């Protein structure tokens, strides 16, 4: 089942982080290489219909969201052979193929909801998140072409940029794909691990801990920036010596030395208890 557009938007917002703009190739951490594709050199979104609707909204004094909805309804009603009630017509629900400047109308509806929840304007929401479908296609293509090389993908700089990491050297094809995105893209090669290896390390340690009788609950997060799997464990009985308890867990170490484990103990429940193997 596909995730809802709102869920995707919420995820995108949570991935955003502040960053600095740097042009060209820049030095990276030891053993890494970094290529920055500045936003000024990237393709600009081409949205002539939305620009026209913005002007129409400004001239009429109506909210842009209302103008967009009426335009989408007319577009869908004209394209559909079915008779429609214009006043109550919802093309987002009945005509999923309706799009404006390549943005599905259903996403434009969700952008309005998202804008209200975030306290930003509809125009800003479109500017920041309107290319999510095309961005996602490129990101999916990167994952599909380099499943064993991608170490992580994250939006940065308030969704104005994208960071893509690779286990080894940056593939030329990845640079080619990144140049199609309407935002600054930072590509980092030589990370030493892949996202698949990081997930495997996380799954392995979580599975192991859930089988341990002294563990009540466990949760984990894989940091694709550092290659660290951060694990929080709630012991059934909090130990006096945390370090001795950690050693006693006999955690399986990742096969890849570039991936590390960090274990924190918590007296509070941090996940739903799950039974280990019987």
């Amino acid at each position: 089942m596909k995730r809802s557009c709102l869920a995707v938007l919420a995820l995108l917002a949570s991935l955003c982080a502040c960053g600095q703009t740097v042009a060209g190739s820049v030095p990276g951490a030891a053993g890494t290489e970094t290529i920055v594709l500045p936003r000024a050199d990237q393709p600009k979104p081409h949205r002539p219909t939305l620009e026209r609707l913005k002007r129409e909204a400004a001239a009429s004094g109506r909210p842009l969201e209302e103008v967009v909805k009426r335009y989408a309804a007319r577009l869908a009603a004209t394209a559909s052979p079915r008779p429609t009630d214009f006043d109550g017509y919802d093309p987002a629900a009945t005509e999923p193929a309706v799009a404006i400047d390549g943005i599905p109308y259903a996403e434009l509806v969700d952008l309005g909801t998202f804008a209200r929840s975030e306290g930003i304007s509809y125009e800003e929401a479109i500017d920041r998140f309107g290319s999510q479908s095309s961005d996602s296609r490129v990101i999916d293509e990167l994952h599909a072409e380099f499943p064993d090389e991608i170490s992580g993908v994250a939006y940065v700089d308030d969704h104005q940029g994208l960071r893509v990491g690779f286990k080894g050297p940056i593939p030329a094809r990845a640079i080619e794909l990144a140049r199609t995105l309407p935002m600054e893209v930072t590509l980092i090669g030589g990370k030493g691990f892949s996202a698949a290896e990081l997930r495997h390390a996380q799954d392995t340690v979580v599975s192991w801990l859930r089988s341990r009788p002294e563990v009540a609950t466990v949760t984990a997060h894989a940091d694709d920036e550092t290659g660290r799997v951060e694990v929080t464990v709630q012991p059934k009985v909090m130990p006096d010596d945390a370090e001795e308890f950690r050693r006693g867990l006999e955690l399986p170490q990742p096969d890849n030395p570039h991936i590390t484990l960090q274990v924190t103990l918590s007296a509070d429940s941090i996940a739903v208890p799950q039974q280990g193997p019987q």
Side-chain angles (χ1 to χ4, degrees):
M1 182 180 294
K2 292 185 177 179
R3 290 177 296 180
S4 71
C5 295
L6 277 175
V8 172
L9 286 168
L11 175 61
L12 294 181
S14 69
L15 288 173
C16 293
C18 293
Q20 293 182 329
T21 300
V22 184
S25 181
V26 297
T32 65
E33 59 171 328
T34 301
I35 295 175
V36 179
L37 306 177
R39 188 178 185 185
D41 297 338
Q42 297 290 90
K44 307 294 187 294
H46 184 58
R47 297 169 182 161
T49 302
L50 282 169
E51 289 302 320
R52 177 170 60 80
L53 294 177
K54 285 181 183 180
R55 293 192 295 271
E56 180 182 326
S60 65
R62 297 199 307 272
L64 175 61
E65 190 173 2
E66 177 187 330
V67 172
V68 168
K69 179 179 181 179
R70 292 179 65 84
Y71 175 81
R74 289 195 300 270
L75 188 66
T78 302
S80 174
R82 299 189 298 275
T84 60
D85 174 7
F86 179 80
D87 289 334
Y89 191 56
D90 182 3
T94 59
E95 300 290 342
V98 170
I100 301 176
D101 292 336
I103 305 175
Y105 176 65
E107 288 186 13
L108 288 167
V109 171
D110 282 341
L111 284 170
T113 303
F114 182 75
R116 287 186 289 276
S117 70
E118 294 296 307
I120 61 176
S121 70
Y122 188 51
E123 291 86 343
E124 182 180 351
I126 292 174
D127 289 342
R128 287 173 55 186
F129 300 104
S131 62
Q132 64 166 336
S133 291
S134 56
D135 295 349
S136 295
R137 285 192 291 271
V138 174
I139 292 170
D140 288 346
E141 194 166 352
L142 283 166
H143 280 290
E145 293 200 24
F146 309 105
D148 299 322
E149 284 297 313
I150 288 277
S151 66
V153 178
Y155 285 96
V156 297
D157 194 20
D158 202 20
H159 204 268
Q160 300 303 303
L162 191 73
R163 184 183 66 240
V164 186
F166 295 91
K167 178 179 180 178
I170 301 169
R173 171 61 176 160
I175 300 173
E176 180 183 339
L177 288 170
R179 289 192 187 281
T180 68
L181 293 167
M183 62 181 66
E184 178 171 296
V185 182
T186 301
L187 302 113
I188 305 172
K191 301 280 287 185
F193 60 88
S194 69
E197 290 174 317
L198 201 55
R199 283 193 302 271
H200 176 70
Q202 175 178 317
D203 292 345
T204 299
V205 72
V206 168
S207 178
W208 175 264
L209 287 169
R210 284 176 175 166
S211 72
R212 300 289 299 189
E214 65 267 57
V215 173
T217 58
V218 59
T219 188
H221 165 70
D223 186 341
D224 60 32
E225 181 67 10
T226 63
R228 182 170 57 242
V229 178
E230 300 166 356
V231 185
T232 303
V233 174
Q234 180 204 10
K236 288 182 178 177
V237 178
M238 279 299 290
D240 294 327
D241 189 330
E243 188 56 39
E244 182 180 355
F245 181 86
R246 277 190 284 264
R247 286 196 300 269
L249 292 173
E250 300 178 331
L251 293 176
Q253 295 302 304
D255 296 330
N256 187 331
H258 293 279
I259 297 175
T260 59
L261 302 179
Q262 176 180 297
V263 180
T264 302
L265 303 188
S266 171
D268 301 319
S269 177
I270 38 81
V272 177
Q274 296 196 25
Q275 289 186 330
Q278 300 298 314

